[in-house]
Amino acid sequence: MPFCLYFLSYIDSGTILLMIVPALYNKYEEHVDRYAGLVHQSFSKHYRLVDENVLRRLPSRRIPRDKID
């Protein structure tokens, strides 16, 4: 029985979030978009650094053309 109550409260909290988040976004849309843009720029910068320093140093896994046939 306690598990059922916990499960229902978990589902209900998700339902409440689904109703509140769009309303809050409509109210604070400019602030959210500005901070989301800053976060996106930061993630892009970090991804670029990882790409330049790590991913490009890994050997490529391409199959030579003579082994395809």
Side-chain angles (χ1 to χ4, degrees):
M1 183 70 171
F3 178 74
C4 292
L5 293 175
Y6 175 75
F7 185 69
L8 286 175
S9 69
Y10 181 76
I11 291 174
D12 194 34
S13 65
T15 304
I16 291 171
L17 279 176
L18 287 175
M19 293 166 46
I20 291 175
V21 169
L24 288 175
Y25 177 74
N26 284 335
K27 185 174 182 180
Y28 300 107
E29 184 174 356
E30 296 170 2
H31 299 290
V32 172
D33 289 344
R34 183 171 25 136
Y35 290 119
L38 292 173
V39 169
H40 181 265
Q41 287 176 353
S42 177
F43 280 142
S44 295
K45 176 183 167 187
H46 291 296
Y47 177 77
R48 195 175 326 111
L49 288 172
V50 169
D51 186 41
E52 291 172 357
N53 296 324
V54 176
L55 297 179
R56 291 186 183 177
R57 292 183 183 178
L58 295 175
S60 66
R61 301 223 181 239
R62 294 184 180 152
I63 301 172
R65 287 214 173 257
D66 59 335
K67 299 214 177 195
I68 294 175
D69 297 330

